[in-house]
């Protein structure tokens, strides 16, 4: 009876799962499958000060091996990951920071999160987010069909 009352007052508790690679994950979706369902977790990454948020587009079954591989490939070379984002960051960087880019991305950008596409397919939509302290904003590179499509600047 008490559990039914809690469910009525507060809703269903979040679905949590332990994944062999990603560890503790929380499901961000409902009982009915939706295209925007995803799992969220945090990962420590070599060369990054704080753990990053990882958003994994997958249903209740959880991430698959191709999504693990997608993540590993991106995190294996952070310089290459940033290089892919830079073309769409460049037009906004000087405008938002008031300074020239030194070419040393770690001086100005801090990796915050990565969104892993459905099925780990690089051609599906995904994104990478960095915090830019000089701008006091987040720069998010959105990718479509494997290419950077646009930058979203938010604070």
């Amino acid at each position: 009876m008490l559990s039914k009352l809690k469910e009525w007052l507060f809703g269903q508790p979040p679905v949590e799962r332990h994944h062999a690679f990603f560890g503790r994950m929380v499901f961000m979706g409902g009982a009915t499958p939706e295209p925007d369902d995803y799992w969220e977790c945090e990962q420590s990454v070599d060369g990054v000060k704080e753990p990053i948020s990882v958003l994994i587009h997958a249903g209740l079954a959880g991430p698959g091996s191709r999504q693990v591989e997608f993540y590993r490939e991106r995190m294996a070379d952070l310089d290459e990951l940033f290089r892919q984002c830079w073309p769409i960051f460049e037009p906004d960087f000087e405008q938002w920071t008031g300074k020239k880019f030194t070419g040393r991305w770690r001086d100005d950008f801090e990796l915050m999160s990565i969104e892993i596409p459905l099925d780990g397919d690089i051609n599906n939509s995904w994104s990478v987010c960095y915090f830019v302290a000089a701008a006091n904003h987040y720069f998010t590179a959105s990718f479509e069909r494997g290419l950077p499509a646009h930058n979203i600047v938010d604070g």
Side-chain angles (χ1 to χ4, degrees):
M1 171 85 172
L2 184 58
S3 64
K4 290 286 186 197
L5 179 59
K6 282 184 184 177
E7 184 178 312
W8 181 77
L9 288 173
F10 303 111
Q12 289 285 347
V15 175
E16 292 186 21
R17 182 172 299 155
H18 180 83
H19 186 270
F21 178 79
F22 290 111
R24 181 184 169 273
M25 304 183 309
V26 177
F27 184 63
M28 301 297 177
T32 305
E34 297 289 337
D36 59 350
D37 288 349
Y38 67 95
W39 290 86
E40 188 173 308
C41 67
E42 287 190 343
Q43 295 289 302
S44 295
V45 177
D46 288 341
V48 178
K49 295 180 217 173
E50 299 291 327
I52 66 167
S53 294
V54 180
L55 311 174
I56 310 159
H57 285 276
L60 272 171
S65 61
R66 289 180 57 197
Q67 289 170 309
V68 170
E69 189 59 30
F70 179 94
Y71 175 83
R72 283 182 168 158
E73 287 173 1
R74 301 300 146 322
M75 295 302 107
D77 191 345
L78 297 179
D79 293 333
E80 174 59 21
L81 180 63
F82 182 80
R83 187 195 64 72
Q84 292 175 4
C85 299
W86 180 246
I88 58 171
F89 287 166
E90 185 174 17
D92 294 321
F93 181 78
E94 189 172 331
Q95 176 185 351
W96 283 91
T97 64
K99 66 182 196 172
K100 296 281 187 201
F101 183 60
T102 65
R104 294 183 311 270
W105 71 268
R106 292 172 194 261
D107 290 349
D108 295 297
F109 291 81
E110 182 180 349
L111 180 62
M112 300 302 292
S113 68
I114 186 166
E115 180 183 18
I116 299 175
L118 186 64
D119 299 325
D121 184 344
I122 197 165
N123 292 307
N124 290 330
S125 297
W126 58 284
S127 67
V128 183
C129 178
Y130 296 84
F131 181 69
V132 181
N136 197 31
H137 284 280
Y138 296 90
F139 282 33
T140 302
S142 296
F143 288 77
E144 294 177 16
R145 294 179 297 285
L147 300 172
H150 57 277
N151 179 30
I152 299 167
V153 180
D154 59 3

